[in-house]
């Protein structure tokens, strides 16, 4: 269901989250899709099966993810 970072940000919206990120072992840093100055910016990276990601949470919410 979620193919790109923007799929998650579109569903959860900037009222709940402000960052979707994942670790890039090749560079030793994070790849970020973040909300700043009224819009989503950064790298709208693909979400591949088995990869982990993290969220920057702005408010409490319930989110059910299977897989």
């Amino acid at each position: 269901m979620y193919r790109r970072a923007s799929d998650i940000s579109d569903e959860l919206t900037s009222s709940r989250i402000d960052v979707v990120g994942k670790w890039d072992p090749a560079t030793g840093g994070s790849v970020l899709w973040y909300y700043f100055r009224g819009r989503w910016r950064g790298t709208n990276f693909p979400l591949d099966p088995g990869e982990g990601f993290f969220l920057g949470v702005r408010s409490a919410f319930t989110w059910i993810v299977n897989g």
Side-chain angles (χ1 to χ4, degrees):
M1 178 175 171
Y2 304 108
R3 297 190 185 272
R4 303 198 69 76
S6 62
D7 295 337
I8 294 172
S9 64
D10 288 348
E11 181 171 328
L12 297 178
T13 74
S14 62
S15 67
R16 293 184 182 128
I17 64 170
D18 59 2
V19 175
V20 181
K22 73 175 182 177
W23 177 255
D24 182 359
T27 64
S30 296
V31 180
L32 301 175
W33 179 242
Y34 58 95
Y35 191 78
F36 181 69
R37 295 190 181 199
R39 69 182 194 103
W40 288 93
R41 303 166 187 266
T43 304
N44 186 12
F45 57 86
L47 298 168
D48 296 319
E51 282 189 328
F53 61 90
F54 59 88
L55 302 174
V57 178
R58 295 178 53 141
S59 66
F61 62 92
T62 301
W63 186 41
I64 299 171
V65 179
N66 294 320

